[in-house]
Amino acid sequence: DTGVSQDPRHKITKRGQNVTFRCDPISEHNRLYWYRQTLGQGPEFLTYFQNEAQLEKSRLLSDRFSAERPKGSFSTLEIQRTEQGDSAMYLCASSLGTGEFQAQYFGPGTRLTVL
Amino acid sequence: AQSVTQPDIHITVSEGASLELRCNYSYGATPYLFWYVQSPGQGLQLLLKYFSGDTLVQGIKGFEAEFKRSQSSFNLRKPSVHWSDAAEYFCAVGATGRRALTFGSGTRLQVQP
């Protein structure tokens, strides 16, 4: 069990560029989540996958954001036409289970800075 | 919709002193409750969770939390704080039928020598 990993850890981009982040969950965890955290705030939910199916999306996930989990393992989060307001820490979490709530285990995050 | 309030933005305690961080939630049914800790620039580490049963739950690093339904609270405690406990602490709630966690805005803990 190596924990949730995220890549890159830091990303600096110019406004209008596209960026893509990768998350590798704890092996065999079937649920994967993306959250966004801005300075001084708690994480806010963006989206959730069970295996490869995206089952829940927040209103925060505008049409510039897209997430995939093609084979039910790693996931990518893409932001198109980045804006300065997208600057935040993007956190990925995973959990194991098919029933009700399970504890979520977080990765170290990707810090995005949009200039 | 559920919500979480952490009334204390910043707390300073002396090393060796006891600690209590407050968390109040709003949710109509029995919630799933969590405490996470975040060191600067890092992700969140799960300290403990409450799903059901004994309302006093033990976690890692010597932390415990007590669920009080009548007060809609889930306060985090530690009898003796260590300098390494300085970090930001987040309370979170999960609701039946959803998978998302709702987080409070966090409490930053500073530990004085």
Short mmCIF file of all heavy atoms in Angstrom, two decimals, chain B residues 44-112:
data_model
loop_
_atom_site.label_atom_id
_atom_site.label_comp_id
_atom_site.label_asym_id
_atom_site.label_seq_id
_atom_site.Cartn_x
_atom_site.Cartn_y
_atom_site.Cartn_z
N LEU B 44 -4.26 15.57 3.04
CA LEU B 44 -4.94 15.37 4.31
C LEU B 44 -4.72 13.95 4.82
O LEU B 44 -4.81 12.99 4.05
CB LEU B 44 -6.45 15.61 4.16
CG LEU B 44 -6.89 17.05 4.08
CD1 LEU B 44 -6.67 17.62 2.69
CD2 LEU B 44 -8.36 17.18 4.45
N GLN B 45 -4.45 13.84 6.11
CA GLN B 45 -4.29 12.54 6.75
C GLN B 45 -5.48 12.28 7.65
O GLN B 45 -5.84 13.15 8.47
CB GLN B 45 -2.99 12.49 7.55
CG GLN B 45 -2.73 11.14 8.22
CD GLN B 45 -1.46 11.11 9.02
OE1 GLN B 45 -0.95 12.13 9.46
NE2 GLN B 45 -0.93 9.92 9.24
N LEU B 46 -6.07 11.12 7.53
CA LEU B 46 -7.22 10.76 8.35
C LEU B 46 -6.78 10.49 9.78
O LEU B 46 -5.91 9.66 10.03
CB LEU B 46 -7.90 9.52 7.77
CG LEU B 46 -9.10 8.98 8.54
CD1 LEU B 46 -10.26 9.97 8.50
CD2 LEU B 46 -9.54 7.63 7.97
N LEU B 47 -7.40 11.21 10.74
CA LEU B 47 -7.10 10.99 12.15
C LEU B 47 -8.05 9.97 12.77
O LEU B 47 -7.63 9.09 13.51
CB LEU B 47 -7.23 12.31 12.93
CG LEU B 47 -6.13 13.35 12.75
CD1 LEU B 47 -6.48 14.61 13.54
CD2 LEU B 47 -4.78 12.81 13.20
N LEU B 48 -9.33 10.13 12.49
CA LEU B 48 -10.32 9.21 13.04
C LEU B 48 -11.64 9.41 12.34
O LEU B 48 -11.83 10.39 11.62
CB LEU B 48 -10.48 9.42 14.57
CG LEU B 48 -10.63 10.83 15.10
CD1 LEU B 48 -12.03 11.38 14.89
CD2 LEU B 48 -10.28 10.88 16.58
N LYS B 49 -12.54 8.46 12.57
CA LYS B 49 -13.85 8.52 11.96
C LYS B 49 -14.90 7.97 12.91
O LYS B 49 -14.61 7.15 13.78
CB LYS B 49 -13.88 7.74 10.64
CG LYS B 49 -13.61 6.25 10.79
CD LYS B 49 -13.58 5.57 9.44
CE LYS B 49 -13.43 4.06 9.56
NZ LYS B 49 -12.09 3.65 10.04
N TYR B 50 -16.13 8.45 12.72
CA TYR B 50 -17.29 7.93 13.46
C TYR B 50 -18.37 7.57 12.46
O TYR B 50 -18.82 8.42 11.67
CB TYR B 50 -17.82 8.95 14.46
CG TYR B 50 -19.11 8.48 15.09
CD1 TYR B 50 -19.10 7.55 16.11
CD2 TYR B 50 -20.34 8.95 14.62
CE1 TYR B 50 -20.29 7.09 16.66
CE2 TYR B 50 -21.52 8.49 15.16
CZ TYR B 50 -21.50 7.56 16.18
OH TYR B 50 -22.67 7.10 16.71
N PHE B 51 -18.83 6.31 12.54
CA PHE B 51 -19.94 5.87 11.69
C PHE B 51 -21.15 5.52 12.56
O PHE B 51 -22.28 5.86 12.23
CB PHE B 51 -19.53 4.67 10.84
CG PHE B 51 -18.62 5.00 9.70
CD1 PHE B 51 -18.18 6.30 9.46
CD2 PHE B 51 -18.17 4.02 8.83
CE1 PHE B 51 -17.33 6.62 8.41
CE2 PHE B 51 -17.33 4.31 7.77
CZ PHE B 51 -16.91 5.61 7.56
N SER B 52 -20.91 4.78 13.64
CA SER B 52 -21.98 4.36 14.54
C SER B 52 -21.33 3.74 15.76
O SER B 52 -20.11 3.59 15.83
CB SER B 52 -22.92 3.36 13.86
OG SER B 52 -22.21 2.17 13.54
N GLY B 53 -22.18 3.39 16.74
CA GLY B 53 -21.67 2.68 17.92
C GLY B 53 -21.16 3.62 18.98
O GLY B 53 -21.73 4.70 19.21
N ASP B 54 -20.08 3.23 19.64
CA ASP B 54 -19.50 3.99 20.74
C ASP B 54 -19.24 5.42 20.28
O ASP B 54 -18.59 5.66 19.25
CB ASP B 54 -18.20 3.34 21.18
CG ASP B 54 -17.69 3.90 22.50
OD1 ASP B 54 -18.17 4.99 22.91
OD2 ASP B 54 -16.82 3.28 23.12
N THR B 55 -19.76 6.37 21.06
CA THR B 55 -19.66 7.77 20.63
C THR B 55 -18.29 8.38 20.89
O THR B 55 -18.02 9.49 20.44
CB THR B 55 -20.74 8.61 21.34
OG1 THR B 55 -20.57 8.46 22.75
CG2 THR B 55 -22.13 8.17 20.91
N LEU B 56 -17.45 7.70 21.63
CA LEU B 56 -16.08 8.15 21.83
C LEU B 56 -15.17 7.29 20.97
O LEU B 56 -15.10 6.07 21.15
CB LEU B 56 -15.69 8.02 23.31
CG LEU B 56 -14.29 8.55 23.68
CD1 LEU B 56 -14.21 10.05 23.44
CD2 LEU B 56 -13.98 8.24 25.13
N VAL B 57 -14.51 7.92 20.00
CA VAL B 57 -13.68 7.17 19.06
C VAL B 57 -12.22 7.55 19.24
O VAL B 57 -11.90 8.72 19.48
CB VAL B 57 -14.13 7.39 17.60
CG1 VAL B 57 -15.49 6.80 17.38
CG2 VAL B 57 -14.14 8.86 17.23
N GLN B 58 -11.39 6.56 19.10
CA GLN B 58 -9.95 6.78 19.23
C GLN B 58 -9.34 6.82 17.83
O GLN B 58 -9.77 6.11 16.92
CB GLN B 58 -9.32 5.63 20.02
CG GLN B 58 -9.90 5.45 21.42
CD GLN B 58 -9.66 6.67 22.30
OE1 GLN B 58 -8.58 7.26 22.28
NE2 GLN B 58 -10.68 7.03 23.08
N GLY B 59 -8.34 7.66 17.69
CA GLY B 59 -7.67 7.76 16.40
C GLY B 59 -6.17 7.59 16.54
O GLY B 59 -5.67 7.13 17.55
N ILE B 60 -5.49 8.02 15.49
CA ILE B 60 -4.05 7.93 15.49
C ILE B 60 -3.44 9.12 16.22
O ILE B 60 -4.12 10.12 16.48
CB ILE B 60 -3.49 7.85 14.06
CG1 ILE B 60 -3.84 9.12 13.27
CG2 ILE B 60 -4.02 6.61 13.35
CD1 ILE B 60 -3.15 9.20 11.92
N LYS B 61 -2.18 9.01 16.56
CA LYS B 61 -1.41 10.10 17.18
C LYS B 61 -1.98 10.54 18.51
O LYS B 61 -1.75 11.67 18.93
CB LYS B 61 -1.31 11.30 16.23
CG LYS B 61 -0.71 10.99 14.87
CD LYS B 61 -0.51 12.26 14.06
CE LYS B 61 0.12 11.94 12.73
NZ LYS B 61 0.47 13.15 11.97
N GLY B 62 -2.73 9.67 19.20
CA GLY B 62 -3.25 10.01 20.51
C GLY B 62 -4.49 10.87 20.52
O GLY B 62 -4.91 11.36 21.57
N PHE B 63 -5.11 11.08 19.38
CA PHE B 63 -6.33 11.89 19.30
C PHE B 63 -7.57 11.04 19.55
O PHE B 63 -7.60 9.85 19.27
CB PHE B 63 -6.46 12.54 17.92
CG PHE B 63 -5.52 13.69 17.70
CD1 PHE B 63 -4.29 13.50 17.10
CD2 PHE B 63 -5.87 14.97 18.10
CE1 PHE B 63 -3.41 14.56 16.91
CE2 PHE B 63 -5.02 16.04 17.92
CZ PHE B 63 -3.79 15.84 17.32
N GLU B 64 -8.60 11.69 20.08
CA GLU B 64 -9.90 11.09 20.24
C GLU B 64 -10.96 12.14 19.93
O GLU B 64 -10.68 13.33 19.92
CB GLU B 64 -10.11 10.54 21.66
CG GLU B 64 -10.17 11.60 22.73
CD GLU B 64 -10.44 11.03 24.12
OE1 GLU B 64 -10.11 9.85 24.37
OE2 GLU B 64 -10.97 11.78 24.96
N ALA B 65 -12.16 11.67 19.64
CA ALA B 65 -13.27 12.59 19.38
C ALA B 65 -14.54 11.99 19.94
O ALA B 65 -14.70 10.77 20.01
CB ALA B 65 -13.42 12.86 17.89
N GLU B 66 -15.44 12.86 20.34
CA GLU B 66 -16.71 12.42 20.91
C GLU B 66 -17.88 12.95 20.11
O GLU B 66 -17.98 14.16 19.88
CB GLU B 66 -16.83 12.87 22.36
CG GLU B 66 -18.07 12.31 23.06
CD GLU B 66 -18.09 12.57 24.54
OE1 GLU B 66 -17.27 13.38 25.02
OE2 GLU B 66 -18.92 11.95 25.23
N PHE B 67 -18.75 12.07 19.68
CA PHE B 67 -19.96 12.42 18.96
C PHE B 67 -21.07 12.70 19.97
O PHE B 67 -21.40 11.85 20.80
CB PHE B 67 -20.37 11.28 18.04
CG PHE B 67 -21.73 11.43 17.39
CD1 PHE B 67 -22.01 12.54 16.62
CD2 PHE B 67 -22.72 10.47 17.56
CE1 PHE B 67 -23.24 12.69 16.02
CE2 PHE B 67 -23.95 10.61 16.97
CZ PHE B 67 -24.22 11.72 16.19
N LYS B 68 -21.63 13.89 19.90
CA LYS B 68 -22.76 14.26 20.77
C LYS B 68 -23.91 14.67 19.87
O LYS B 68 -23.96 15.79 19.35
CB LYS B 68 -22.37 15.39 21.72
CG LYS B 68 -21.34 15.00 22.75
CD LYS B 68 -21.09 16.11 23.75
CE LYS B 68 -20.10 15.67 24.83
NZ LYS B 68 -19.84 16.74 25.82
N ARG B 69 -24.86 13.75 19.74
CA ARG B 69 -25.98 13.99 18.85
C ARG B 69 -26.80 15.20 19.29
O ARG B 69 -27.22 16.01 18.46
CB ARG B 69 -26.88 12.76 18.78
CG ARG B 69 -28.05 12.87 17.81
CD ARG B 69 -28.99 11.70 17.97
NE ARG B 69 -28.31 10.43 17.75
CZ ARG B 69 -28.11 9.90 16.56
NH1 ARG B 69 -28.54 10.52 15.48
NH2 ARG B 69 -27.50 8.74 16.46
N SER B 70 -27.01 15.34 20.59
CA SER B 70 -27.87 16.41 21.11
C SER B 70 -27.28 17.79 20.83
O SER B 70 -28.00 18.78 20.74
CB SER B 70 -28.07 16.24 22.61
OG SER B 70 -26.82 16.32 23.29
N GLN B 71 -25.97 17.85 20.68
CA GLN B 71 -25.30 19.12 20.42
C GLN B 71 -24.82 19.22 18.98
O GLN B 71 -24.21 20.23 18.60
CB GLN B 71 -24.10 19.29 21.37
CG GLN B 71 -24.50 19.34 22.84
CD GLN B 71 -23.31 19.43 23.76
OE1 GLN B 71 -22.22 19.80 23.36
NE2 GLN B 71 -23.52 19.07 25.03
N SER B 72 -25.08 18.20 18.18
CA SER B 72 -24.59 18.17 16.79
C SER B 72 -23.11 18.51 16.74
O SER B 72 -22.66 19.33 15.92
CB SER B 72 -25.39 19.16 15.91
OG SER B 72 -26.75 18.79 15.86
N SER B 73 -22.36 17.86 17.62
CA SER B 73 -20.94 18.17 17.70
C SER B 73 -20.09 16.92 17.60
O SER B 73 -20.54 15.80 17.87
CB SER B 73 -20.62 18.91 19.00
OG SER B 73 -20.77 18.05 20.11
N PHE B 74 -18.85 17.14 17.18
CA PHE B 74 -17.87 16.05 17.07
C PHE B 74 -16.52 16.68 17.35
O PHE B 74 -15.72 16.93 16.46
CB PHE B 74 -17.94 15.44 15.67
CG PHE B 74 -17.11 14.19 15.49
CD1 PHE B 74 -17.29 13.08 16.31
CD2 PHE B 74 -16.16 14.11 14.48
CE1 PHE B 74 -16.55 11.93 16.13
CE2 PHE B 74 -15.41 12.96 14.29
CZ PHE B 74 -15.60 11.87 15.11
N ASN B 75 -16.25 16.97 18.61
CA ASN B 75 -15.05 17.68 19.00
C ASN B 75 -13.85 16.75 19.11
O ASN B 75 -13.96 15.63 19.60
CB ASN B 75 -15.27 18.41 20.33
CG ASN B 75 -16.28 19.52 20.21
OD1 ASN B 75 -16.69 19.91 19.11
ND2 ASN B 75 -16.71 20.04 21.35
N LEU B 76 -12.72 17.27 18.70
CA LEU B 76 -11.46 16.52 18.71
C LEU B 76 -10.66 16.90 19.95
O LEU B 76 -10.55 18.08 20.28
CB LEU B 76 -10.66 16.85 17.45
CG LEU B 76 -9.33 16.12 17.25
CD1 LEU B 76 -9.57 14.65 16.91
CD2 LEU B 76 -8.51 16.81 16.14
N ARG B 77 -10.08 15.90 20.60
CA ARG B 77 -9.33 16.17 21.83
C ARG B 77 -8.00 15.42 21.82
O ARG B 77 -7.86 14.38 21.17
CB ARG B 77 -10.15 15.74 23.06
CG ARG B 77 -11.47 16.46 23.20
CD ARG B 77 -12.05 16.24 24.57
NE ARG B 77 -12.40 14.84 24.81
CZ ARG B 77 -13.65 14.40 24.95
NH1 ARG B 77 -14.66 15.25 24.83
NH2 ARG B 77 -13.88 13.14 25.20
N LYS B 78 -7.08 15.99 22.57
CA LYS B 78 -5.81 15.31 22.83
C LYS B 78 -5.35 15.75 24.21
O LYS B 78 -5.35 16.95 24.50
CB LYS B 78 -4.76 15.65 21.77
CG LYS B 78 -3.48 14.84 21.92
CD LYS B 78 -2.55 15.00 20.74
CE LYS B 78 -1.34 14.08 20.89
NZ LYS B 78 -0.42 14.14 19.73
N PRO B 79 -4.98 14.82 25.08
CA PRO B 79 -4.65 15.19 26.46
C PRO B 79 -3.35 15.98 26.60
O PRO B 79 -3.22 16.81 27.49
CB PRO B 79 -4.55 13.85 27.18
CG PRO B 79 -4.42 12.81 26.13
CD PRO B 79 -5.01 13.37 24.87
N SER B 80 -2.37 15.75 25.71
CA SER B 80 -1.09 16.42 25.82
C SER B 80 -0.53 16.67 24.43
O SER B 80 -0.19 15.72 23.71
CB SER B 80 -0.11 15.56 26.65
OG SER B 80 1.15 16.18 26.72
N VAL B 81 -0.45 17.92 24.06
CA VAL B 81 -0.07 18.28 22.69
C VAL B 81 1.45 18.29 22.54
O VAL B 81 2.18 18.74 23.43
CB VAL B 81 -0.66 19.67 22.35
CG1 VAL B 81 -0.09 20.18 21.04
CG2 VAL B 81 -2.17 19.58 22.25
N HIS B 82 1.91 17.83 21.39
CA HIS B 82 3.33 17.82 21.05
C HIS B 82 3.56 18.86 19.97
O HIS B 82 2.66 19.20 19.19
CB HIS B 82 3.71 16.41 20.55
CG HIS B 82 5.16 16.20 20.33
ND1 HIS B 82 5.75 16.30 19.09
CD2 HIS B 82 6.16 15.89 21.19
CE1 HIS B 82 7.04 16.07 19.20
NE2 HIS B 82 7.32 15.81 20.47
N TRP B 83 4.80 19.36 19.89
CA TRP B 83 5.10 20.41 18.91
C TRP B 83 4.77 19.93 17.49
O TRP B 83 4.36 20.72 16.63
CB TRP B 83 6.57 20.84 18.99
CG TRP B 83 7.55 19.77 18.65
CD1 TRP B 83 8.18 18.95 19.51
CD2 TRP B 83 8.01 19.40 17.34
NE1 TRP B 83 9.00 18.07 18.84
CE2 TRP B 83 8.91 18.33 17.51
CE3 TRP B 83 7.73 19.86 16.05
CZ2 TRP B 83 9.55 17.73 16.45
CZ3 TRP B 83 8.37 19.26 14.97
CH2 TRP B 83 9.27 18.20 15.18
N SER B 84 4.91 18.63 17.25
CA SER B 84 4.65 18.10 15.91
C SER B 84 3.16 18.09 15.55
O SER B 84 2.80 17.79 14.40
CB SER B 84 5.20 16.68 15.79
OG SER B 84 4.59 15.82 16.73
N ASP B 85 2.29 18.39 16.50
CA ASP B 85 0.86 18.46 16.21
C ASP B 85 0.46 19.77 15.54
O ASP B 85 -0.69 19.91 15.10
CB ASP B 85 0.04 18.30 17.51
CG ASP B 85 0.18 16.91 18.11
OD1 ASP B 85 0.29 15.94 17.33
OD2 ASP B 85 0.19 16.81 19.35
N ALA B 86 1.37 20.72 15.46
CA ALA B 86 1.06 21.99 14.79
C ALA B 86 0.72 21.72 13.33
O ALA B 86 1.51 21.14 12.60
CB ALA B 86 2.24 22.94 14.90
N ALA B 87 -0.48 22.12 12.93
CA ALA B 87 -0.99 21.81 11.59
C ALA B 87 -2.37 22.42 11.47
O ALA B 87 -2.85 23.11 12.38
CB ALA B 87 -1.06 20.31 11.36
N GLU B 88 -3.04 22.13 10.37
CA GLU B 88 -4.43 22.55 10.20
C GLU B 88 -5.30 21.31 10.32
O GLU B 88 -4.99 20.25 9.77
CB GLU B 88 -4.65 23.21 8.85
CG GLU B 88 -6.04 23.77 8.65
CD GLU B 88 -6.03 25.22 8.20
OE1 GLU B 88 -5.04 25.63 7.58
OE2 GLU B 88 -7.02 25.93 8.46
N TYR B 89 -6.39 21.46 11.04
CA TYR B 89 -7.29 20.35 11.31
C TYR B 89 -8.65 20.62 10.69
O TYR B 89 -9.22 21.70 10.85
CB TYR B 89 -7.43 20.14 12.83
CG TYR B 89 -6.15 19.62 13.45
CD1 TYR B 89 -5.10 20.50 13.71
CD2 TYR B 89 -5.98 18.28 13.71
CE1 TYR B 89 -3.91 20.04 14.25
CE2 TYR B 89 -4.79 17.80 14.26
CZ TYR B 89 -3.76 18.69 14.51
OH TYR B 89 -2.58 18.22 15.04
N PHE B 90 -9.15 19.61 10.00
CA PHE B 90 -10.43 19.73 9.31
C PHE B 90 -11.41 18.67 9.80
O PHE B 90 -11.07 17.49 9.87
CB PHE B 90 -10.26 19.57 7.80
CG PHE B 90 -9.51 20.69 7.14
CD1 PHE B 90 -8.15 20.58 6.92
CD2 PHE B 90 -10.16 21.84 6.75
CE1 PHE B 90 -7.45 21.62 6.32
CE2 PHE B 90 -9.47 22.88 6.15
CZ PHE B 90 -8.11 22.77 5.93
N CYS B 91 -12.60 19.11 10.09
CA CYS B 91 -13.71 18.23 10.39
C CYS B 91 -14.52 18.06 9.11
O CYS B 91 -14.64 19.01 8.32
CB CYS B 91 -14.56 18.86 11.49
SG CYS B 91 -15.99 17.90 12.01
N ALA B 92 -15.04 16.87 8.88
CA ALA B 92 -15.79 16.62 7.66
C ALA B 92 -16.98 15.72 7.96
O ALA B 92 -16.94 14.89 8.88
CB ALA B 92 -14.91 15.99 6.58
N VAL B 93 -18.03 15.87 7.17
CA VAL B 93 -19.24 15.07 7.33
C VAL B 93 -19.62 14.45 6.00
O VAL B 93 -19.49 15.05 4.94
CB VAL B 93 -20.39 15.92 7.91
CG1 VAL B 93 -20.77 17.04 6.96
CG2 VAL B 93 -21.62 15.06 8.19
N GLY B 94 -20.08 13.20 6.07
CA GLY B 94 -20.61 12.52 4.91
C GLY B 94 -22.07 12.20 5.17
O GLY B 94 -22.49 12.01 6.32
N ALA B 95 -22.84 12.13 4.09
CA ALA B 95 -24.28 11.92 4.21
C ALA B 95 -24.70 10.67 3.46
O ALA B 95 -24.11 10.32 2.44
CB ALA B 95 -25.02 13.13 3.65
N THR B 96 -25.73 10.04 3.96
CA THR B 96 -26.27 8.85 3.32
C THR B 96 -26.71 9.17 1.90
O THR B 96 -27.36 10.20 1.66
CB THR B 96 -27.48 8.34 4.13
OG1 THR B 96 -27.05 8.03 5.45
CG2 THR B 96 -28.06 7.09 3.48
N GLY B 97 -26.35 8.31 0.97
CA GLY B 97 -26.76 8.50 -0.41
C GLY B 97 -25.81 9.33 -1.24
O GLY B 97 -25.97 9.42 -2.46
N ARG B 98 -24.86 9.97 -0.62
CA ARG B 98 -23.85 10.73 -1.34
C ARG B 98 -22.48 10.18 -1.00
O ARG B 98 -22.31 9.48 -0.02
CB ARG B 98 -23.91 12.21 -0.98
CG ARG B 98 -25.18 12.90 -1.45
CD ARG B 98 -24.98 14.39 -1.45
NE ARG B 98 -23.95 14.78 -2.43
CZ ARG B 98 -23.12 15.80 -2.25
NH1 ARG B 98 -23.16 16.51 -1.15
NH2 ARG B 98 -22.23 16.11 -3.18
N ARG B 99 -21.51 10.50 -1.84
CA ARG B 99 -20.15 10.04 -1.58
C ARG B 99 -19.23 11.18 -1.22
O ARG B 99 -18.12 10.96 -0.74
CB ARG B 99 -19.60 9.29 -2.81
CG ARG B 99 -20.41 8.05 -3.15
CD ARG B 99 -20.19 6.94 -2.16
NE ARG B 99 -21.09 5.82 -2.42
CZ ARG B 99 -22.14 5.54 -1.66
NH1 ARG B 99 -22.43 6.25 -0.62
NH2 ARG B 99 -22.91 4.51 -1.97
N ALA B 100 -19.66 12.41 -1.46
CA ALA B 100 -18.81 13.56 -1.21
C ALA B 100 -18.71 13.85 0.28
O ALA B 100 -19.68 13.69 1.02
CB ALA B 100 -19.37 14.79 -1.92
N LEU B 101 -17.55 14.28 0.70
CA LEU B 101 -17.38 14.80 2.04
C LEU B 101 -17.58 16.32 2.01
O LEU B 101 -17.16 16.98 1.06
CB LEU B 101 -15.97 14.52 2.56
CG LEU B 101 -15.67 13.10 3.03
CD1 LEU B 101 -14.19 12.95 3.33
CD2 LEU B 101 -16.50 12.75 4.25
N THR B 102 -18.21 16.84 3.05
CA THR B 102 -18.32 18.28 3.23
C THR B 102 -17.40 18.66 4.37
O THR B 102 -17.53 18.12 5.48
CB THR B 102 -19.76 18.70 3.54
OG1 THR B 102 -20.60 18.33 2.44
CG2 THR B 102 -19.84 20.20 3.75
N PHE B 103 -16.48 19.57 4.09
CA PHE B 103 -15.46 19.95 5.07
C PHE B 103 -15.80 21.29 5.72
O PHE B 103 -16.43 22.17 5.12
CB PHE B 103 -14.10 20.10 4.38
CG PHE B 103 -13.43 18.80 4.05
CD1 PHE B 103 -13.75 18.13 2.89
CD2 PHE B 103 -12.49 18.25 4.91
CE1 PHE B 103 -13.14 16.92 2.58
CE2 PHE B 103 -11.86 17.05 4.60
CZ PHE B 103 -12.19 16.39 3.44
N GLY B 104 -15.34 21.44 6.97
CA GLY B 104 -15.31 22.75 7.58
C GLY B 104 -14.15 23.54 7.03
O GLY B 104 -13.34 23.05 6.23
N SER B 105 -14.05 24.79 7.48
CA SER B 105 -13.00 25.66 6.96
C SER B 105 -11.67 25.50 7.67
O SER B 105 -10.69 26.14 7.30
CB SER B 105 -13.46 27.13 7.02
OG SER B 105 -13.86 27.44 8.33
N GLY B 106 -11.65 24.65 8.68
CA GLY B 106 -10.38 24.30 9.31
C GLY B 106 -10.05 25.13 10.53
O GLY B 106 -10.53 26.26 10.71
N THR B 107 -9.23 24.54 11.41
CA THR B 107 -8.66 25.23 12.57
C THR B 107 -7.15 25.06 12.51
O THR B 107 -6.66 23.93 12.46
CB THR B 107 -9.19 24.66 13.89
OG1 THR B 107 -10.60 24.86 13.98
CG2 THR B 107 -8.49 25.33 15.08
N ARG B 108 -6.46 26.19 12.52
CA ARG B 108 -5.00 26.12 12.51
C ARG B 108 -4.50 26.06 13.94
O ARG B 108 -4.82 26.92 14.76
CB ARG B 108 -4.41 27.33 11.80
CG ARG B 108 -2.87 27.33 11.78
CD ARG B 108 -2.32 28.29 10.75
NE ARG B 108 -2.69 27.92 9.40
CZ ARG B 108 -2.10 26.97 8.69
NH1 ARG B 108 -1.08 26.30 9.20
NH2 ARG B 108 -2.48 26.70 7.46
N LEU B 109 -3.73 25.04 14.25
CA LEU B 109 -3.18 24.84 15.59
C LEU B 109 -1.71 25.24 15.61
O LEU B 109 -0.90 24.76 14.82
CB LEU B 109 -3.30 23.38 16.01
CG LEU B 109 -2.62 23.01 17.34
CD1 LEU B 109 -3.30 23.72 18.50
CD2 LEU B 109 -2.63 21.49 17.54
N GLN B 110 -1.41 26.13 16.54
CA GLN B 110 -0.03 26.52 16.78
C GLN B 110 0.36 26.01 18.16
O GLN B 110 -0.43 26.12 19.12
CB GLN B 110 0.10 28.04 16.72
CG GLN B 110 1.52 28.55 16.79
CD GLN B 110 1.59 30.06 16.56
OE1 GLN B 110 0.58 30.70 16.27
NE2 GLN B 110 2.76 30.62 16.70
N VAL B 111 1.54 25.46 18.29
CA VAL B 111 2.01 24.91 19.56
C VAL B 111 3.21 25.72 20.03
O VAL B 111 4.23 25.81 19.33
CB VAL B 111 2.39 23.43 19.44
CG1 VAL B 111 2.88 22.89 20.79
CG2 VAL B 111 1.22 22.61 18.92
N GLN B 112 3.08 26.29 21.22
CA GLN B 112 4.18 27.07 21.80
C GLN B 112 5.08 26.18 22.65
O GLN B 112 4.58 25.31 23.35
CB GLN B 112 3.61 28.19 22.67
CG GLN B 112 2.98 29.32 21.91
CD GLN B 112 2.48 30.42 22.82
OE1 GLN B 112 2.16 30.18 23.97
NE2 GLN B 112 2.40 31.63 22.30
#
